Amino acid sequence: MSERNPDRRKALPDTIQPRGRGARSNVSGRFEPNGYEPFDDGWREEDGDPPKLHTRIHAEHPKRIISRNNSPDISFSQSINPYQGCEHGCIYCYARPSHAYWGLSPGLDFESRIFFKPDAADLLKKEFAAPNYRPSTIVIGANTDPYQPAEREFGLMRKMLPVFIKTRHPVSVITKSALVTRDIDMWAELARQDLARVAVSVTTLDRKLARDMEPRAATPDKRLKAIEALSKAGVPVTVMVAPIVPALTDSEIEPILKAAREAGATSAAYVMLRLPREIADLFKEWLATTRPDAADHVMSLMRQMRGGRDYDSRWSVRQRGTGPYADLIAKRFRAALRRYDYNQDRRPLRTDLFEPPERDGAQPRLL
């Protein structure tokens, strides 16, 4: 582990393509003063396998841990991301462009330069203790996965969840990692008071496709087993069929919902593939190298949903798209929910049980 490096220049050459990573390049971020273009000098085939790319972890010490939004198409207003960047390396991850704000690439830097917040639990207690704090469900992992590989070492979730338990504050998590079952005792304790929900993302049941798209995330089978374990422990589970990738995973909507329902999921949601900013070029590069035969078809369907463009950022349409293809996906999804008897019980988690922690230096309560 190393502290945050003040030198934010690119850590990797643009043309490196290490195995076990999602991005095929390390293109310059949009805020960098200099741009880079890969150049093939003709020696790459003779150089053999590319060097192994090691993940570097940096500590970050923000003043606050809770992020807030007022987006009209997001169902929550508060979130926490204990990690920035994600070693899962999902090629489609909508959080990739955020690495550009650090002077790093949304490509390979995003999945190999990880920032973590060691003070997350203490910051959470401090914000909960603020006199003007009003509780509402906090979603952990709305940007990057809080149960990514670095969590095995740093255990930030294991430190934050007791804060939610002690204050009886509602919380949910979005993950594609089986590591969430490590904390099943705490998730179950919160769920018994209607204070918790877990959302598990299942993009595909095809192991080969999952390995190519999400190289360091849990296998589809492991995610289904996590859903089953959480459900048996009394934790309400939502399966996220997200993202649906046209021509690659759209045929799996019904099989995923069926498998997740059999594992114990009680509600489900989906999001269509989004390609904002640098993700469009990264994803097209990935298609060209891993699914060249399907590349044109995938992008044609994407543009049919996005008004002829790679992406449409408008509220209320960015998550689902528009047009005949998007409408067909929505109809299929609704029909599958009925077929597999999803009850879609998405009642808000309780906020009336919240008990703020003692503020530092405050007079202790008598009762």
Side-chain angles (χ1 to χ4, degrees):
M1 181 197 69
S2 63
E3 291 296 316
R4 176 178 166 186
N5 187 347
D7 182 1
R8 296 181 177 180
R9 291 175 299 173
K10 293 168 63 60
L12 301 164
D14 294 329
T15 56
I16 191 170
Q17 295 183 18
R19 297 179 62 184
R21 299 289 181 171
R24 271 32 187 183
S25 64
N26 210 39
V27 295
S28 305
R30 61 191 180 281
F31 299 115
E32 294 185 59
N34 299 309
Y36 301 84
E37 291 185 7
F39 173 74
D40 183 3
D41 59 5
W43 290 104
R44 294 186 62 188
E45 292 185 4
E46 297 184 23
D47 288 340
D49 292 336
K52 186 175 182 180
L53 175 59
H54 295 281
T55 300
R56 292 198 280 172
I57 311 292
H58 310 267
E60 174 69 4
H61 299 279
K63 295 181 179 179
R64 303 177 68 88
I65 194 67
I66 299 176
S67 299
R68 293 174 173 84
N69 77 85
N70 58 1
S71 172
D73 58 358
I74 295 179
S75 62
F76 56 88
S77 60
Q78 297 195 126
S79 61
I80 292 176
N81 291 289
Y83 299 94
Q84 293 175 259
C86 185
E87 199 174 358
H88 282 163
C90 304
I91 187 58
Y92 52 72
C93 183
Y94 58 77
R96 283 183 177 273
S98 64
H99 242 46
Y101 290 102
W102 295 78
L104 296 171
S105 171
L108 289 168
D109 279 347
F110 176 79
E111 49 197 279
S112 63
R113 298 284 296 273
I114 311 299
F115 296 85
F116 79 106
K117 302 170 184 177
D119 307 320
D122 291 336
L123 290 170
L124 185 60
K125 284 188 286 188
K126 182 179 179 181
E127 291 196 52
F128 281 175
N132 60 346
Y133 180 78
R134 297 295 178 268
S136 67
T137 298
I138 288 178
V139 176
I140 306 181
N143 204 36
T144 55
D145 201 316
Y147 283 109
Q148 62 177 283
E151 173 64 11
R152 295 185 183 277
E153 178 179 354
F154 299 109
L156 301 185
M157 289 296 294
R158 195 75 189 167
K159 297 173 183 176
M160 286 194 295
L161 286 175
V163 179
F164 288 100
I165 291 173
K166 187 172 182 179
T167 60
R168 299 200 288 182
H169 191 290
V171 60
S172 66
V173 68
I174 304 172
T175 184
K176 52 172 60 76
S177 173
L179 185 59
V180 65
T181 58
R182 179 201 63 186
D183 300 333
I184 203 166
D185 55 333
M186 292 188 283
W187 285 113
E189 184 174 349
L190 286 160
R192 282 192 289 271
Q193 302 179 74
D194 293 328
L195 294 172
R197 179 178 294 277
V198 173
V200 178
S201 174
V202 181
T203 315
T204 176
L205 299 178
D206 183 330
R207 287 176 60 96
K208 175 66 168 62
L209 181 56
R211 181 63 181 268
D212 288 341
M213 282 201 305
E214 311 157 334
R216 299 197 176 193
T219 63
D221 182 61
K222 290 286 188 182
R223 297 182 218 181
L224 292 173
K225 288 180 178 178
I227 291 174
E228 183 177 15
L230 289 161
S231 178
K232 287 182 177 179
V235 181
V237 181
T238 296
V239 59
M240 297 292 298
V241 187
I244 295 176
V245 183
L248 288 187
T249 69
D250 52 0
S251 64
E252 297 190 70
I253 293 172
E254 292 83 0
I256 290 172
L257 289 174
K258 182 177 185 291
R261 185 72 184 96
E262 291 173 350
T266 56
S267 60
Y270 78 93
V271 177
M272 294 301 303
L273 175 66
R274 297 191 287 147
L275 299 176
R277 298 190 182 277
E278 292 92 345
I279 304 176
D281 288 339
L282 289 167
F283 183 75
K284 286 186 281 188
E285 185 178 48
W286 176 86
L287 280 174
T289 57
T290 62
R291 297 293 188 277
D293 293 342
D296 288 343
H297 190 195
V298 172
M299 293 310 302
S300 174
L301 290 173
M302 283 294 297
R303 293 175 185 127
Q304 289 176 40
M305 293 188 297
R306 308 295 185 184
R309 301 183 297 275
D310 290 344
Y311 183 57
D312 183 348
S313 62
R314 288 177 298 161
W315 302 125
S316 77
V317 301
R318 58 179 185 156
Q319 308 274 22
R320 301 294 175 88
T322 59
Y325 177 76
D327 292 343
L328 177 61
I329 294 294
K331 291 176 181 177
R332 284 177 54 196
F333 198 86
R334 290 193 297 268
L337 293 180
R338 294 191 297 269
R339 182 185 312 166
Y340 301 120
D341 193 30
Y342 278 86
N343 62 32
Q344 292 298 92
D345 181 7
R346 298 298 297 273
R347 291 173 297 176
L349 300 177
R350 296 187 65 174
T351 59
D352 58 308
L353 302 177
F354 178 64
E355 295 181 356
E358 297 286 350
R359 284 183 291 154
D360 292 340
Q363 180 177 347
R365 291 192 292 264
L366 296 177
L367 299 176

